[in-house]
Amino acid sequence: MRVDEAVPLGRTGLRVTRLGLGLASLGGLFAPVSDRDAALTVDRAWDVGVRLFDTAPVYGYGRSERRAGAALAGRPAGQYTLCTKVGRVIVPGGTDTQPFWADPPPGVGPRRDYSYAGVMRSVEDSLERLGLDRIDVLHVHDPDEDFPAAVSDAYRALAELRARGAVGAVSIGVNHAPVAARYLREVAAPGPDCVMLAGRYNLLDRSGLDELLPLCAARGVAVMVAGVYQSGLLADPRPGAPHGYSTVPGDLAGRVAAWHALCRDHGVPPTAAAVQFPFGHAAVTSVVVGARTPDEVEDTARMLAHPVPPAFWAAARAAGLLPPGVPVPAS
């Protein structure tokens, strides 16, 4: 699969590349990243054909958005798709902090706010940090944090922005598939154009297939999949590796080991299988993967293009790692 292959984003007029770059790491997720390295990482993504970029106000408390805007400045806006999020505003003394942002800007922090006014303020602030006058895709970030407001006030604001052309597409960004399915069922018509689903449709967790992905396919809602490496377990499962788990549950560790063994037997890098697997479902338009260095971007691009033969997926089914009804990518 080609990194730069552009496909329609569901029912919107936007087009997105198959591979997107998630910019949380460039906001200092777990470890600091310099301005220079952030710019070089975005530049390398551009060079290999990535034209989909995803950020958020809470990523480094505004730092990711500022770096995204600086790195993309001067590039024609119509040649890339930029996503950001609402649900938290960055304010002096904001107390809804998260411990995993390294060296965040002093004196500011996030404040949870899914109100109509809060969303409008968040968008204005994001546009200032990004240096843009329009946002391509706007996600309601973690709507389960305040579901009643997220499904009503926040969506009303986004729908208005979409109607007047200030936003190209309305979306939700979620870590839990049932939350997204509930949102799509309860929100006012016409609803979101797309969904970003993190960590719930990959080789180890396919809960997105239970309800959400069929619902999206039926409604023409595009799905961007993130978290395909399951917090890094499919890239490097060793104890002490930066996979986000202090202790890996035994059942999960066993399945990780089984996938790694199957990949060794078939000469398929685990990250190649992981980044390609979501494309087996017709609702999935893109996979969004984070990176903090140019080399990580290049490696992901290689993995997307690495051959994964049908025999590999057949062996995964035979080993019980994939149930019979789970779709796999075409060869």
Side-chain angles (χ1 to χ4, degrees), residues 87-91 94-97 109-114 118 121:
R88 298 177 181 92
V89 290
I90 308 304
V91 296
T95 57
D96 188 25
T97 55
R111 186 188 73 218
R112 194 178 307 161
D113 193 341
Y114 294 86
R121 173 178 175 177

Side-chain angles (χ1 to χ4, degrees), residues 9-32:
L9 184 65
R11 61 197 179 206
T12 75
L14 299 172
R15 295 181 67 83
V16 291
T17 49
R18 288 297 198 178
L19 182 63
L21 180 64
L23 302 180
S25 294
L26 302 191
L29 182 65
F30 300 127

